[in-house]
């Protein structure tokens, strides 16, 4: 098990990202794009620049991350240092604990007005495809990077297990944004355990009722457990945010400075009426 963890950690995540992007971009072209797609080149360019900015921010923050997590490991701090657990179980539970913490930080990114200013950059994309995975403000690393540190310190997760988590998480995150319409049966089967691409796309709907849902990255049960799971057919979704719904507001520079601008959230919380999940009462709508 130890050698498997070591080999996973020896893989360069950048190669995996390049490989997955190549696969999902090819699939988008081969299978046809189900969602209307204007200005594809501009869209790719803007998201590509975000990829570079996000990469550099992650690189800089990694110094803090590695330092703090190593400190907690040396001082044997955190749950898995205090209880006897076999290594294989530590890996599975470690990945689950990291996903659990990320779920709560993602919820916080939607409820805290300050964090939302950063996180709305990811939600601003009106024409989603594989490259949307990269659209995130570089300062957002302070939110989700902190989430990893908090999880590692509380649960006693070591750096090598964090490395496994990053590798496991990548295919989910890239597939979730790909412009591919998977059949509903994939949600019925895989959606019992995982956040499928269709389930995450609901999170990108303009209607806030759906934007504030499906916060987890890998496991769907956090949303089901804490009442934030919502499902609607992707055919009825309208991506992005109303307040960013013009070409001028989709450029890299506008989005980079947007956290420093007061932009009111354009809320239309009328739920979509579908036979699947029609909200039953006001309490449910207020989630
Ligand atoms: Zn979100
Ligand atoms: Zn997303």
């Amino acid at each position: 098990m130890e050698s498997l963890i070591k080999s996973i950690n020896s893989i360069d995540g950048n190669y995996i990202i390049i490989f997955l992007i190549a696969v999902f971009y090819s699939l988008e072209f081969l299978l046809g794009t189900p969602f209307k797609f204007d200005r594809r080149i501009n869209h790719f360019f803007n998201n590509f620049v975000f990829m570079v900015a996000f990469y550099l921010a992650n690189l800089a923050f990694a110094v803090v991350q590695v330092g703090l997590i190593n400190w907690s490991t040396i001082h044997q701090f955190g749950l898995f240092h205090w209880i006897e657990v076999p290594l294989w179980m530590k890996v599975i539970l470690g990945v689950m604990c990291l996903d659990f913490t990320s779920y709560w930080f993602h919820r916080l990114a939607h409820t805290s007005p300050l964090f939302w200013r950063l996180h709305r950059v990811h939600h601003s994309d009106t024409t989603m495809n594989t490259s949307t995975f990269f659209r995130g403000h570089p300062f957002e690393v302070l939110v989700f990077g902190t989430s990893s540190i908090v999880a590692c310190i509380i649960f006693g997760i070591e750096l090598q297990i964090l490395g496994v988590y990053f590798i496991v998480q990548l295919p989910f995150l890239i597939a979730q944004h790909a412009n591919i319409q998977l059949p509903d049966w994939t949600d019925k089967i895989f959606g019992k355990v995982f956040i499928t691409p269709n389930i995450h796309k609901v999170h990108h709907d303009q209607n806030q009722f759906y934007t504030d849902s499906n916060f987890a990255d890998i496991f769907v049960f956090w949303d089901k457990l804490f009442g934030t799971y919502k499902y609607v057919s992707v055919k009825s979704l309208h991506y992005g945010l109303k307040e960013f719904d013009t070409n001028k507001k989709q450029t890299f520079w506008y989005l980079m400075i947007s956290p420093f601008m007061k932009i009111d959230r354009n809320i239309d919380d009328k739920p979509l009426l579908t036979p699947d999940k029609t909200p039953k009462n006001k309490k449910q709508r207020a989630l």
Side-chain angles (χ1 to χ4, degrees):
M1 189 69 196
E2 221 156 313
S3 62
L4 178 67
I5 296 172
K6 269 197 185 126
S7 350
I8 294 173
N9 273 278
S10 66
I11 304 168
D12 187 336
N14 291 318
Y15 289 127
I16 298 185
I17 291 176
I18 293 166
F19 170 74
L20 289 169
I21 287 175
V23 168
F24 281 101
Y25 254 99
S26 309
L27 285 173
E28 283 176 4
F29 276 100
L30 288 172
L31 301 175
T33 52
F35 313 116
K36 203 168 155 277
F37 215 109
D38 299 325
R39 300 162 59 87
R40 181 184 283 274
I41 301 293
N42 291 41
H43 178 262
F44 178 79
F45 175 76
N46 287 315
N47 285 352
F48 178 78
V49 187
F50 267 114
M51 179 184 84
V52 176
F54 205 66
Y55 175 75
L56 294 175
N58 270 287
L59 214 58
F61 196 74
V63 179
V64 182
Q65 243 172 343
V66 170
L68 286 171
I69 295 168
N70 270 338
W71 175 86
S72 82
T73 304
I74 290 164
H75 291 85
Q76 298 282 291
F77 195 85
L79 189 66
F80 295 138
H81 291 298
W82 303 330
I83 53 169
E84 204 60 44
V85 186
L87 185 59
W88 64 269
M89 202 187 273
K90 245 188 206 180
V91 175
I92 296 171
L93 292 177
V95 168
M96 287 174 75
C97 290
L98 282 157
D99 197 52
F100 169 78
T101 314
S102 169
Y103 165 86
W104 282 105
F105 270 76
H106 193 175
R107 268 184 87 158
L108 187 66
H110 280 239
T111 49
S112 149
L114 180 68
F115 290 167
W116 174 250
R117 282 180 179 233
L118 297 168
H119 186 57
R120 68 189 175 197
V121 172
H122 179 64
H123 279 270
S124 65
D125 209 339
T126 48
T127 45
M128 272 176 60
N129 74 353
T130 304
S131 70
T132 305
F133 160 64
F134 297 110
R135 189 185 287 205
H137 198 281
F139 289 175
E140 212 187 0
V141 73
L142 296 171
V143 181
F144 290 102
T146 304
S147 159
S148 306
I149 295 172
V150 168
C152 287
I153 292 179
I154 292 177
F155 297 107
I157 298 164
E158 292 172 21
L159 269 180
Q160 291 219 320
I161 296 177
L162 179 64
V164 173
Y165 168 70
F166 284 144
I167 299 291
V168 170
Q169 187 195 37
L170 274 175
F172 284 94
L173 297 183
I174 293 179
Q176 282 164 3
H177 298 95
N179 190 11
I180 296 164
Q181 193 174 303
L182 295 171
D184 289 350
W185 63 261
T186 56
D187 302 320
K188 287 198 179 89
I189 297 173
F190 301 109
K192 289 199 182 348
V193 180
F194 300 112
I195 296 281
T196 64
N198 289 346
I199 293 174
H200 184 69
K201 286 196 173 81
V202 174
H203 181 74
H204 279 268
D205 188 59
Q206 286 199 354
N207 187 314
Q208 188 163 1
F209 176 74
Y210 293 114
T211 316
D212 293 341
S213 74
N214 307 349
F215 294 102
D217 289 329
I218 301 177
F219 300 111
V220 77
F221 35 75
W222 307 129
D223 283 289
K224 292 197 173 173
L225 197 62
F226 299 111
T228 50
Y229 175 77
K230 288 165 197 164
Y231 187 80
V232 67
S233 172
V234 283
K235 293 181 192 101
S236 56
L237 296 178
H238 189 174
Y239 299 122
L241 297 169
K242 282 196 179 67
E243 54 270 34
F244 287 84
D245 208 352
T246 61
N247 289 337
K248 193 186 119 238
K249 293 178 178 174
Q250 291 288 313
T251 63
F252 173 75
W253 286 116
Y254 181 85
L255 292 165
M256 269 300 277
I257 57 166
S258 64
F260 307 101
M261 294 155 66
K262 191 179 178 312
I263 302 168
D264 289 330
R265 207 165 174 182
N266 193 334
I267 296 170
D268 173 12
D269 68 349
K270 283 189 207 81
L272 300 176
L273 295 173
T274 68
D276 301 299
K277 291 272 164 189
T278 305
K280 291 183 178 70
N281 55 45
K282 230 178 155 161
K283 198 172 160 227
Q284 192 177 348
R285 286 181 57 182
L287 278 170

